[in-house]
Amino acid sequence: GAGVSQSPRYKVAKRGQDVALRCDPISGHVSLFWYQQALGQGPEFLTYFQNEAQLDKSGLPSDRFFAERPEGSVSTLKIQRTQQEDSAVYLCASSLGRRENTGELFFGEGSRLTVL
Amino acid sequence: EDQVTQSPEALRLQEGESSSLNCSYTVSGLRGLFWYRQDPGKGPEFLFTLYSAGEEKEKERLKATLTKKESFLHITAPKPEDSATYLCAVQAYGQNFVFGPGTRLSVLP
């Protein structure tokens, strides 16, 4: 497809389980971002990749959150030992240029995580 | 710390009733201000980028303007299909995109 694809669209986890969320960015896009969006709020930055390099992970809320993009295309956001406060929509976005000179982010539809 | 606030939180308009949404920001060294539209259950969809005070961009019934402290999204003669959450984001040079909480717009037929 031509857009950013995320899977799964919905994930229900029991507290303490590990989850993995996948993002397929637009082919050729250099930058990839992960955001967390709570209900009724704007997206909050988690982490940024330029190709395979994770240049910024300042938004990851704890060491239970881990992201990778090993070949500079598909990215995975992993959350270990999930907690109820992790419940949110996780959005992936990609852009053609680097973060410092890009004009538009292309977002996926998000993965909604519910932790019981 | 870069901050973005948006007002109103929610807005209900009758079809054809024009209005404006506000985005106020504090950022050290603004590189760009971005407007996105988000439909329920979807990711944000890019609308506009504004780079300098005085700049204006238009698309159909939407017009975005920028000053040194705020941006307005003007909606002229809105239609029900314009109902969505409108998000504003700012980016300082070398920094991340910081999003506001959004304005939920409902346009009633």
Side-chain angles (χ1 to χ4, degrees), chain A residues 56 99 102-103 105 109, chain B residues 31 36 38 42 49 91 96:
Chain A
D56 189 344
R99 177 175 64 179
T102 194
L105 300 183
E109 295 197 325
Chain B
R31 175 189 163 255
Y36 286 81
Q38 186 172 27
K42 304 288 187 182
T49 306
Q91 186 193 28
N96 291 306

Side-chain angles (χ1 to χ4, degrees), chain A residues 25-116:
Chain A
I26 294 173
S27 178
H29 276 198
V30 167
S31 293
L32 186 145
F33 304 80
W34 283 99
Y35 282 84
Q36 180 189 61
Q37 188 173 28
L39 190 64
Q41 299 299 314
E44 295 276 346
F45 171 79
L46 293 176
T47 187
Y48 164 65
F49 290 87
Q50 181 179 307
N51 296 310
E52 70 279 1
Q54 188 175 21
L55 298 187
D56 189 344
K57 53 183 180 180
S58 61
L60 296 177
S62 77
D63 58 8
R64 296 186 295 105
F65 287 71
F66 171 77
E68 60 182 4
R69 192 187 185 198
E71 297 179 357
S73 55
V74 171
S75 177
T76 303
L77 176 67
K78 298 179 180 178
I79 309 173
Q80 297 177 323
R81 305 181 303 281
T82 52
Q83 304 293 316
Q84 285 188 323
E85 61 261 29
D86 299 335
S87 296
V89 175
Y90 291 86
L91 293 166
C92 175
S94 69
S95 69
L96 184 61
R98 297 176 300 168
R99 177 175 64 179
E100 52 266 34
N101 58 22
T102 194
E104 175 180 354
L105 300 183
F106 294 83
F107 282 87
E109 295 197 325
S111 292
R112 180 179 295 278
L113 172 64
T114 302
V115 181
L116 303 177

Side-chain angles (χ1 to χ4, degrees), chain A residues 4-12 20-22 88-91 108-114, chain B residues 39-43:
Chain A
V4 177
S5 178
Q6 292 188 246
S7 61
R9 288 293 318 280
Y10 304 93
K11 176 69 178 178
V12 178
L21 308 177
R22 176 188 168 104
V89 175
Y90 291 86
L91 293 166
E109 295 197 325
S111 292
R112 180 179 295 278
L113 172 64
T114 302
Chain B
D39 292 298
K42 304 288 187 182

